[in-house]
Amino acid sequence: MFDEGSTVRARFIVRLRCHNCLKTTTRAIESPDLEDAPCNVEELLESAWLQRQSFACGECENPIATLVSVKQEDIA
């Protein structure tokens, strides 16, 4: 997703509902510590960065989903 030398700016838990099988899956997304990368949920939702993330359903491998929720996790 990003250079191994980069640190993580923020970590998000994203829940997605598959358009094909309607299963809801959870996925962790890490935002790299770069100038334009989102650092909170509001910035993530307003950015094109989230739209550039790829998704494939774990059940049916469909690449289309609806965003159900986003939660920010603390970085340890």
Side-chain angles (χ1 to χ4, degrees):
M1 184 175 355
F2 55 90
D3 183 358
E4 288 183 29
S6 299
T7 58
V8 175
R9 175 178 275 192
R11 182 174 295 123
F12 304 98
I13 301 301
V14 179
R15 290 182 59 222
L16 302 155
R17 180 169 296 122
C18 175
H19 277 219
N20 184 47
C21 69
L22 303 178
K23 299 280 186 188
T24 301
T25 58
T26 303
R27 179 174 170 203
I29 297 177
E30 293 182 338
S31 175
D33 192 13
L34 301 173
E35 185 177 331
D36 292 340
C39 63
N40 59 46
V41 173
E42 184 177 331
E43 287 182 8
L44 177 68
L45 294 175
E46 291 175 353
S47 73
W49 192 79
L50 181 61
Q51 295 172 358
R52 291 191 303 261
Q53 301 301 307
S54 61
F55 166 78
C57 178
E59 297 291 321
C60 69
E61 299 181 9
N62 183 49
I64 303 170
T66 300
L67 181 66
V68 176
S69 67
V70 179
K71 179 177 96 172
Q72 188 167 356
E73 275 196 338
D74 292 332
I75 298 174

